[in-house]
Amino acid sequence: MKRLVSTFLLSLCAMSASQAALAALKPGDRAPDFSAPSSLGGQVSTFSLADNLKKGPVVLYFYPAAFSSGCTIEAHLFAEAIDKYKALGATVIGVSNDKIETLTKFSVSECRSKFAVAADTDQKIMKAYDAVMLIKSDYASRISYVIAPDHSILYEYSSMSPDKHVENTLQALRQWAAKNK
């Protein structure tokens, strides 16, 4: 019986992962515009995608929950690479379903005051970007997008492992920058 339950759960996870990959916005799609309360270095403001795209590309990454182990690792990786993003003219914004009070603390401790994190408590942004976790719909899937200044999706990467999101989005930005010299 245990084996049957394990097989069922593995099948469900595999199905959900493939459905999530199929549902994600793809390169060439138009990125839905949004604005949301955000925190950078403990300071609350409103993040506007449209305003930030006027400055250059935006790396939008969704993560399940502030202070969880994978999300903390991912925040550290983005913080460590922020100068590389800035050199490519890109803005980084993380989005989760956490309350702004939680994100204010997370922005200082785990994001190291290097980039903003936005609160999507009504999940409008997560739904617009097909980033709601299928297995646990209160959370975002771990998915990253690179968005060009013309609002088009340049790159999409979905993996619950936090390890490759920074590396892959930087590579996508470098390729875009090389084409747009």
Side-chain angles (χ1 to χ4, degrees):
M1 183 67 171
K2 277 185 180 179
R3 189 173 183 194
L4 182 62
V5 171
S6 294
T7 302
F8 173 75
L9 289 174
L10 284 173
S11 297
L12 180 62
C13 290
M15 180 180 72
S16 296
S18 66
Q19 285 176 341
L22 291 173
L25 299 177
K26 298 296 178 203
D29 289 347
R30 182 165 176 78
D33 199 18
F34 69 88
S35 60
S38 65
S39 184
L40 172 59
Q43 300 299 309
V44 176
S45 62
T46 298
F47 180 91
S48 162
L49 179 64
D51 289 349
N52 280 276
L53 287 173
K54 291 175 186 172
K55 303 173 199 172
V58 170
V59 174
L60 167 63
Y61 85 93
F62 293 91
Y63 59 97
F67 297 108
S68 63
S69 62
C71 299
T72 295
I73 290 167
E74 189 173 29
H76 290 176
L77 292 170
F78 272 106
E80 290 167 8
I82 203 67
D83 290 337
K84 294 175 184 177
Y85 286 106
K86 287 180 180 179
L88 292 163
T91 300
V92 173
I93 179 75
V95 175
S96 72
N97 190 28
D98 293 298
K99 294 178 182 173
I100 194 65
E101 296 81 9
T102 301
L103 294 179
T104 296
K105 295 172 189 167
F106 190 68
S107 75
V108 173
S109 64
E110 308 312 326
C111 304
R112 299 179 176 150
S113 300
K114 300 283 187 172
F115 63 93
V117 283
D120 186 23
T121 56
D122 60 8
Q123 295 187 316
K124 285 183 181 176
I125 305 166
M126 290 164 45
K127 289 175 183 173
Y129 282 84
D130 293 321
V132 176
M133 188 182 291
L134 293 177
I135 295 173
K136 196 157 180 161
S137 64
D138 290 347
Y139 297 96
S141 289
R142 190 176 316 281
I143 186 167
S144 297
Y145 291 99
V146 177
I147 305 168
D150 68 358
H151 276 78
S152 65
I153 302 288
L154 294 172
Y155 178 77
E156 169 271 323
Y157 178 70
S158 180
S159 172
M160 286 309 288
S161 171
D163 299 340
K164 298 287 184 185
H165 287 264
V166 168
E167 178 183 329
N168 290 353
T169 56
L170 279 170
Q171 182 60 31
L173 280 167
R174 286 183 192 110
Q175 290 173 351
W176 177 81
K179 289 179 186 175
N180 290 287
K181 278 189 177 183

